[in-house]
Structures are given as C-alpha cells and as structure tokens.
C-alpha cells in the first residue's frame, strides 16, 4: 500500500511539474510577443506624431517663423507628448516647448548632421527623463525635414512620447498571464491527481490480490 501511494505521489509531482513548465513556457512566449507588440505600437505612434509636427510646421519653417512654430509646439504638448524640439539646418535648437526650453539634457543638439539624406528616423526607446518632478520613460523620435524640391536638410523635429501608458498595459498583461498561469497550475494539479489515480488503482488492486 505504501509503495502504491509513493508511486501516486511521484506521478502527481512529475505531471504537475511538466504542466507548470509547459504553461510557463507558453506564457513567457505570449508575454514577450505582447510586450514587443506594445513597443512597436509606441514607436509607430511617436513616429506619426513627429510626421504630423513636420507637416504642420513645414511652411512656417520655410519662412523661419519662430513664433508660429512655437505656438504649434505648445498646442501639441500633452501628458503623452511631454516635449517637442525643432532644430535648424545646422542642428542647433530652433524652438522647444517652454517646459524643456533650457534643458540641455533634453534639447541638446540634433542627432542628424547638416548634410544628412532622407532616410530612417532616429528612435530611442530607452530614455528616462525627469519632468515636473516625475521620472518618465519615453520613446524619443527625431526626423529630418526637407523643403519641397530640396535634398538638403532644412530642419529636424524631435519628440518625446511617454511610455508610461505602455508600461501600465504591460503590467496589466502580466497580471492576466499570472492569473492564467495560476489557473493552469490548479487544473494541472487536479489533472495530475486524476491521472495518477487512474494509473495506480490497477496496481493497488493487483497488490491487494497478491496479499490475499
């Protein structure tokens, strides 16, 4: 009898362990894919905002209308977009929203050289900035700006897009996955106990018959 109980417990342990490993592996894969998808969405959104700022200010930049660009920049600042900076053709700051206008760590210089050709944007999704007493994780995007018919960079625009909503979504995804994993563990343990009982019951009966 003790031997049969030992076998049953071993089966329950190993089957439960196998289920945990399988469920854990699946959840890790799903979680990694979901985080990657959310990061790609954040980059695309930041790039779209930068493109929108470029189109909104293209004519103003052609006229060097600093006041007009400044007004447009301030109108687009939100919790989601905490800073926007325009640079002139030499890479020096031209306009920045007032909250970061004197912040060298944010404004600095353009990432693009004066003779840059149209191409891929600069994207950095590892930045952390301190704004209004809060540490914010941001994806920073900068794109060059060319006037119509010109292949010479006229300006560039850099925007910082907050990643805090994205990380909140990632936290929610992980919480849901943990709940699913816990539910899978309970079901796995119950299934392991049922399966182990089905396997060891004939052995128990055989042992009892032999004893008689």
């Amino acid at each position: 009898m003790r031997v049969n109980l030992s076998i049953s417990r071993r089966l329950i342990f190993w089957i439960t362990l196998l289920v945990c490993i399988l469920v854990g592996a699946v959840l890790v894969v799903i979680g990694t894919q979901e985080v990657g998808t959310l990061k790609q969405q954040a980059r695309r959104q930041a790039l779209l905002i930068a493109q929108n700022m470029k189109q909104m200010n293209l004519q103003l930049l052609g006229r060097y209308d600093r006041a007009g660009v400044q007004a447009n920049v301030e109108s687009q600042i939100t919790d989601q977009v905490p800073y926007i900076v325009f640079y002139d053709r030499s890479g020096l700051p031209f306009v920045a929203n007032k909250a970061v206008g004197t912040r060298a760590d944010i404004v600095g210089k353009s990432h693009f050289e004066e003779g840059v050709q149209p191409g891929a944007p600069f994207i950095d999704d590892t930045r952390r900035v301190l704004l209004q007493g809060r540490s914010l994780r941001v994806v920073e995007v900068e794109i060059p700006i060319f006037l119509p018919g010109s292949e010479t960079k006229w300006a560039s625009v850099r925007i910082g897009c907050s990643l805090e909503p994205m990380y909140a979504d990632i936290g929610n995804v992980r919480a849901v996955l943990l709940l699913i994993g816990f539910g899978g563990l309970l079901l796995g343990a119950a299934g392991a106990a049922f399966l182990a009982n089905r396997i060891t019951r004939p052995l128990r009966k055989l042992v009892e018959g032999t004893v008689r």
Side-chain angles (χ1 to χ4, degrees), residues 121-185:
F122 173 86
I123 301 178
D124 181 4
D125 60 5
T126 62
R127 285 217 64 183
R128 187 182 287 270
V129 298
L130 186 64
L131 285 173
Q132 298 178 345
R134 293 190 305 157
S135 178
L136 296 177
R137 290 165 288 193
V138 300
V139 54
E140 190 172 270
V141 173
E142 184 176 348
I143 58 173
I145 299 174
F146 299 84
L147 295 180
S150 173
E151 295 185 358
T152 302
K153 186 197 75 168
W154 186 255
S156 65
V157 58
R158 178 188 301 175
I159 68 106
C161 194
S162 175
L163 291 176
E164 298 306 320
M166 182 200 75
Y167 280 103
D169 289 341
I170 290 175
N172 293 334
V173 168
R174 287 174 176 168
V176 170
L177 291 178
L178 283 175
L179 288 175
I180 294 174
F182 182 70
L185 176 60

Side-chain angles (χ1 to χ4, degrees), residues 5-211:
L5 288 176
S6 177
I7 293 174
S8 176
R9 288 171 181 170
R10 289 177 184 178
L11 283 172
I12 292 173
F13 172 78
W14 287 111
I15 294 173
T16 303
L17 180 61
L18 179 60
V19 170
C20 289
I21 292 173
L22 291 175
V23 171
V26 170
L27 294 182
V28 167
V29 170
I30 293 174
T32 301
Q33 290 179 342
E34 188 66 22
V35 169
T37 299
L38 290 172
K39 286 187 175 182
Q40 288 179 357
Q41 290 176 350
R43 294 188 194 104
R44 284 197 297 267
Q45 182 181 12
L47 187 56
L48 285 173
I49 294 172
Q51 294 284 359
N52 180 60
M53 289 303 300
K54 180 185 97 171
Q55 296 300 327
M56 183 186 298
N57 295 279
L58 191 58
Q59 293 183 357
L60 297 174
L61 290 168
R63 300 196 302 266
Y64 269 91
D65 186 347
R66 190 186 300 268
V69 175
Q70 184 74 54
N72 284 340
V73 165
E74 297 296 342
S75 71
Q76 299 300 310
I77 296 299
T78 63
D79 289 340
Q80 181 67 23
V81 185
Y83 62 88
I84 301 173
V85 184
F86 278 89
Y87 299 89
D88 60 22
R89 63 191 305 172
S90 62
L92 297 176
F94 179 64
V95 164
N97 58 299
K98 294 178 181 178
V100 300
T102 59
R103 292 279 301 275
D105 60 320
I106 294 177
V107 177
K109 286 191 64 176
S110 171
H111 294 292
F112 297 109
E113 300 293 335
E114 186 172 352
V116 68
Q117 298 297 312
F122 173 86
I123 301 178
D124 181 4
D125 60 5
T126 62
R127 285 217 64 183
R128 187 182 287 270
V129 298
L130 186 64
L131 285 173
Q132 298 178 345
R134 293 190 305 157
S135 178
L136 296 177
R137 290 165 288 193
V138 300
V139 54
E140 190 172 270
V141 173
E142 184 176 348
I143 58 173
I145 299 174
F146 299 84
L147 295 180
S150 173
E151 295 185 358
T152 302
K153 186 197 75 168
W154 186 255
S156 65
V157 58
R158 178 188 301 175
I159 68 106
C161 194
S162 175
L163 291 176
E164 298 306 320
M166 182 200 75
Y167 280 103
D169 289 341
I170 290 175
N172 293 334
V173 168
R174 287 174 176 168
V176 170
L177 291 178
L178 283 175
L179 288 175
I180 294 174
F182 182 70
L185 176 60
L186 292 179
L187 289 175
F194 175 77
L195 183 60
N197 185 55
R198 290 291 299 271
I199 293 174
T200 58
R201 185 183 300 169
L203 295 176
R204 188 181 304 117
K205 290 182 179 179
L206 179 62
V207 171
E208 291 173 352
T210 304
V211 171

